[in-house]
Amino acid sequence: MPATPIYRTAIEAAWIDYNGHLRDAYYALILSYATDALMDRLGLDAPYRAATGNTLYTLEMHIHYLREVHHSDQVLVGVQLLASDHKRIHAAFGISCVGNAAVAATAEIMLLHVHQGDTVASTPFAPEIAAAIAALASMSADAPWPGPGSRRMELRGR
Amino acid sequence: MPATPIYRTAIEAAWIDYNGHLRDAYYALILSYATDALMDRLGLDAPYRAATGNTLYTLEMHIHYLREVHHSDQVLVGVQLLASDHKRIHAAFGISCVGNAAVAATAEIMLLHVHQGDTVASTPFAPEIAAAIAALASMSADAPWPGPGSRRMELRGR
């Protein structure tokens, strides 16, 4: 689990598919809600969005599916900031089930700070947001990374 | 758009987030439903799953978010098989909006054929499934790939 717990949820019955476990897309939904929680933590919350017209857009998402998650599970999401610049955040997430140390999924998400005006354009973080990003990044700088990193997808022998 | 149309859907109101467009996770849900349609196409459908106890598990998913999708849009998903072996399929998907040639998202998904018994174990495709995979792969072998391929995620200058 990456260093900083950011989100926890039960598993809704509608998220279970014909295979009897959490459908792949609902791992992404849990990650999306965890990203909302990350935005709240960094000051990119609803009042900020309403006041500034700024928000985060997702540019790219990679998920590794490592273990099945079931309706009876509670899941925890941890976050670790791998990198950032003046307008982007590269965040890593780990999803695990309460009571099970093994990671159920890992993910990386690239986020872009934008202003939604007449057009949508990228815009730099304000100093207080940049400071919050730096503070969170420093908290998890030494955390061990629990799973495979992102990579070019290809068939390899196994 | 990759060569073979596989799925089409309207956009549900619940899939729109506070940014006024399709939430990142619901691109994944559309891709998940498109994968179900791909399974039907390859003979890995519900009767097959019930008769054999075999199904596909998602190992990995990468999504590039290229354009916003709105509640008023209808989206089309095309599929292209990039590679396969005796038990895995590496599929590429393109999501586009009806009436707009520009691709809204591209994705790659790695799928593993498994048997769900007392334990879950990977299992080879039967010959008729392998033949269906080969037939679909040959249909899209020459299709131009519409967007960025999967890659290691990292911050680069822009």
Side-chain angles (χ1 to χ4, degrees):
Chain A
M1 171 67 62
T4 307
I6 196 77
Y7 185 67
R8 176 176 177 146
T9 185
I11 302 299
E12 297 187 15
W15 297 354
I16 304 299
D17 70 7
Y18 49 79
N19 286 335
H21 58 220
L22 186 64
R23 179 183 279 271
D24 52 8
Y26 289 107
Y27 289 73
L29 188 61
I30 290 167
L31 292 163
S32 188
Y33 291 150
T35 300
D36 291 351
L38 173 63
M39 291 175 71
D40 289 348
R41 166 101 180 210
L42 297 175
L44 301 164
D45 52 8
Y48 169 89
R49 296 192 296 267
T52 63
N54 297 341
T55 187
L56 295 184
Y57 275 23
T58 300
L59 297 178
E60 197 171 343
M61 184 185 299
H62 295 192
I63 306 173
H64 284 276
Y65 297 90
L66 303 174
R67 291 174 187 274
E68 299 182 46
V69 174
H70 299 100
H71 181 36
S72 58
D73 288 320
Q74 290 266 340
V75 300
L76 295 170
V77 184
V79 67
Q80 184 172 347
L81 301 189
L82 298 182
S84 64
D85 66 9
H86 65 292
K87 60 185 181 181
R88 288 181 295 174
I89 299 170
H90 179 186
F93 297 86
I95 299 177
S96 60
C97 296
V98 173
N100 187 341
V103 175
T106 61
E108 295 183 31
I109 302 180
M110 188 70 80
L111 299 159
L112 176 67
H113 190 235
V114 302
H115 179 70
Q116 294 184 306
D118 293 335
T119 61
V120 175
S122 65
T123 189
F125 295 116
E128 63 274 20
I129 305 296
I133 293 168
L136 181 59
S138 70
M139 283 184 59
S140 53
D142 298 326
W145 179 236
S150 76
R151 59 188 179 191
R152 180 167 174 274
M153 196 183 294
E154 59 186 335
L155 271 177
R156 300 181 193 85
R158 71 166 63 178
Chain B
M1 173 66 64
T4 307
I6 197 76
Y7 185 67
R8 177 176 176 147
T9 185
I11 302 300
E12 297 187 14
W15 298 354
I16 303 298
D17 70 7
Y18 49 78
N19 285 336
H21 58 221
L22 186 63
R23 179 183 279 270
D24 51 9
Y26 289 106
Y27 289 74
L29 187 61
I30 291 167
L31 293 163
S32 189
Y33 291 149
T35 300
D36 291 350
L38 173 64
M39 292 175 72
D40 289 348
R41 166 98 178 212
L42 296 174
L44 302 165
D45 53 9
Y48 169 88
R49 296 193 296 266
T52 63
N54 296 341
T55 187
L56 295 184
Y57 275 21
T58 301
L59 297 179
E60 196 171 341
M61 185 186 300
H62 295 192
I63 306 172
H64 284 276
Y65 297 90
L66 303 174
R67 289 173 188 275
E68 300 181 45
V69 174
H70 298 100
H71 181 37
S72 58
D73 288 320
Q74 290 266 339
V75 301
L76 295 169
V77 184
V79 67
Q80 184 173 348
L81 301 189
L82 298 183
S84 63
D85 65 12
H86 64 292
K87 59 183 182 183
R88 288 180 296 175
I89 299 170
H90 180 185
F93 296 86
I95 299 177
S96 60
C97 296
V98 173
N100 186 343
V103 174
T106 62
E108 294 183 31
I109 302 180
M110 187 70 81
L111 299 159
L112 176 67
H113 191 234
V114 301
H115 179 71
Q116 293 183 307
D118 292 335
T119 59
V120 175
S122 65
T123 189
F125 296 116
E128 64 274 18
I129 304 296
I133 292 170
L136 181 58
S138 70
M139 283 183 59
S140 52
D142 298 327
W145 179 238
S150 76
R151 62 186 177 193
R152 180 166 174 274
M153 196 183 293
E154 58 186 337
L155 271 176
R156 298 179 193 87
R158 69 165 63 178

